Amino acid sequence: MLRIFCAAAESKNFKEAAQQLGIPPQSVTRAIQELESQVGEVLFHRSTRQCQITREGERWAELARRGVDGVDALFAAPVLRTSDKVEGVVRLTAPQPIGQMALIGSLARLQAVHPGLQFEVHLEDEETDVVDERIDIGIRHGLIRDSRFVARQVAEVPFFIVAAPALLDRIGLPRTLADLQLGPVIGTLDRRTGKPWPWFLRQLPQWVPRQLAFTSNSTQAECTAALAGLGLAQLPGFVAAPHLQQGTLVEVLPELAPTPWAISVYRPQRSPVSARVRAVYDALVKDFSDPQLFPVGQGAGASV
């Protein structure tokens, strides 16, 4: 209606406005009448031979042009987004160990190419509510249950049962699951239930230690406790690998290691995808598929 009004204000009569817009003259007349009814003002003086915009109509025409121009600018925005310029805020989520190591490095490399990018990162070992947190991109270790997500598996991560050398000197080397049950064990708490997460072993679907020497809701804290000799821990490869390579942790009972878990990069929204989200998503898929940039621990160190 405003667009019709603007065309009528710029034309000599309603018929010319109708020709400009490609609509019947009656449509112009009805639109002006409806607008006058809503505004409560006469916008055109009309006779059988001519129509003349009123002073109030001129004031409304100026306001209407601004409104129509603003709407046109909104719908012109997708053209701007297709340019090579990538900028704006991208919100991400990842497990704490991945976020504090590999993810930050990837984002730094990407920002060097696109300085206009800004990142907001939510680090949680458990699943993030992507709707409440308004997440654009996530990294997930394990099963992605929501089939609506667009996900790319980028790596497979083994698990390691590890201990500090000093702890093994003190308690001896566990050689069976029964030995493991007797030793001091470290666990991670499930914040939703308040109970320890079970271990995943090749011989059993799940295994819950009888008594835990140390528990935390952080995988990084669990690793630090293992390094300090507080107990044996089961850690994913991206956490354990550096310490296994340095010898500060030792793998034990490798025959109990479960099938590796997938690491995936995902987008909660299928479409539309902004240029900034697409650029970050593609960069993370590439980086986390590269074992040099994201080592997951295959052959990370010697076992005993």
Side-chain angles (χ1 to χ4, degrees), residues 52 74 108 126 169:
Q52 182 69 36
L74 283 175
E126 298 172 12
D169 289 342

Side-chain angles (χ1 to χ4, degrees), residues 237-257:
F238 52 81
V239 175
H243 305 292
L244 292 171
Q245 291 169 351
Q246 297 164 13
T248 50
L249 289 176
V250 177
E251 181 185 11
V252 301
L253 297 170
E255 65 276 10
L256 297 182

Side-chain angles (χ1 to χ4, degrees), residues 127-144:
E127 288 187 71
T128 300
D129 189 322
V130 297
V131 175
D132 285 350
E133 302 294 345
R134 297 179 296 166
I135 295 300
D136 297 308
I137 299 172
I139 298 174
R140 176 73 179 152
H141 180 214
L143 181 66
I144 294 181

Side-chain angles (χ1 to χ4, degrees), residues 8-292:
E10 295 167 1
S11 304
K12 295 179 180 179
N13 53 56
F14 290 180
K15 183 177 181 180
E16 186 176 320
Q19 290 174 344
Q20 177 185 333
L21 295 171
I23 59 177
Q26 296 87 343
S27 298
V28 176
T29 301
R30 285 195 297 269
I32 298 301
Q33 289 174 342
E34 176 66 22
L35 187 59
E36 287 177 329
S37 176
Q38 292 192 25
V39 170
E41 295 281 352
V42 175
L43 301 176
F44 288 92
H45 292 302
R46 297 184 283 278
S47 70
T48 55
R49 292 182 296 175
Q50 63 178 355
C51 69
Q52 182 69 36
I53 193 167
T54 65
R55 288 186 178 180
E56 189 65 21
E58 289 178 342
R59 186 179 75 83
W60 270 93
E62 182 179 349
L63 295 173
R65 287 189 193 97
R66 295 178 190 172
V68 170
D69 289 345
V71 171
D72 288 343
L74 283 175
F75 285 94
V79 176
L80 299 177
R81 288 198 293 267
T82 59
S83 68
D84 292 335
K85 195 169 185 179
V86 176
E87 60 184 7
V89 178
V90 178
R91 295 176 176 84
L92 305 102
T93 184
Q96 288 191 31
I98 295 176
Q100 292 174 6
M101 297 184 295
L103 177 59
I104 299 300
S106 291
L107 298 182
R109 287 188 292 274
L110 188 58
Q111 195 175 59
V113 179
H114 301 291
L117 281 174
Q118 301 164 269
F119 305 110
E120 183 180 306
V121 180
H122 298 249
L123 300 182
E124 297 182 88
D125 285 347
E126 298 172 12
E127 288 187 71
T128 300
D129 189 322
V130 297
V131 175
D132 285 350
E133 302 294 345
R134 297 179 296 166
I135 295 300
D136 297 308
I137 299 172
I139 298 174
R140 176 73 179 152
H141 180 214
L143 181 66
I144 294 181
R145 297 180 177 85
D146 198 322
S147 60
R148 295 171 297 176
F149 291 178
V150 177
R152 285 279 302 276
Q153 182 176 325
V154 291
E156 289 191 335
V157 179
F159 283 89
F160 298 93
I161 300 174
V162 298
L167 175 66
L168 297 179
D169 289 342
R170 188 171 76 248
I171 67 170
L173 179 66
R175 299 189 180 279
T176 65
L177 185 59
D179 293 341
L180 192 63
Q181 190 73 272
L182 296 174
V185 176
I186 294 169
T188 305
L189 287 175
D190 183 345
R191 289 184 298 179
R192 294 170 297 185
T193 65
K195 298 179 180 180
W197 281 101
W199 288 23
F200 298 91
L201 303 177
R202 186 179 299 273
Q203 296 177 348
L204 300 170
Q206 295 180 344
W207 177 74
V208 180
R210 293 173 185 166
Q211 188 171 359
L212 292 166
F214 178 90
T215 56
S216 170
N217 64 353
S218 164
T219 305
Q220 288 288 64
E222 187 180 358
C223 179
T224 302
L227 289 166
L230 285 173
L232 295 105
Q234 185 178 57
L235 299 175
F238 52 81
V239 175
H243 305 292
L244 292 171
Q245 291 169 351
Q246 297 164 13
T248 50
L249 289 176
V250 177
E251 181 185 11
V252 301
L253 297 170
E255 65 276 10
L256 297 182
T259 302
W261 283 18
I263 286 277
S264 300
V265 179
Y266 67 88
R267 297 195 317 267
Q269 299 294 334
R270 288 186 176 273
S271 63
V273 182
S274 67
R276 67 182 183 278
V277 171
R278 171 67 67 182
V280 176
Y281 182 84
D282 289 346
L284 293 183
V285 168
K286 180 180 178 182
D287 283 4
F288 279 83
S289 299
D290 185 345
Q292 298 300 316

